[in-house]
Amino acid sequence: MLWSDPENEPPKELRDMQDMLRRLGVLMALAMVVAMILLGIR
């Protein structure tokens, strides 16, 4: 890496999108667990 290279920091939009996708993934995992529990009870 050269000293003139820019910081390895993604732009704010990309970081926001990554945060949103991470939250969406957590919500999807929780929804799957809840669905499995509800379907397993029946």
Side-chain angles (χ1 to χ4, degrees):
M1 192 158 125
L2 300 173
W3 63 270
S4 59
D5 284 348
E7 290 286 327
N8 193 7
E9 175 91 6
K12 185 176 178 352
E13 301 90 32
L14 191 61
R15 277 180 282 146
D16 289 347
M17 191 187 300
Q18 285 173 340
D19 287 345
M20 194 180 70
L21 287 173
R22 201 171 295 123
R23 279 191 221 106
L24 194 63
V26 170
L27 283 175
M28 288 292 288
L30 282 173
M32 290 285 286
V33 170
V34 169
M36 287 166 75
I37 290 171
L38 290 176
L39 291 173
I41 287 173
R42 261 197 246 156

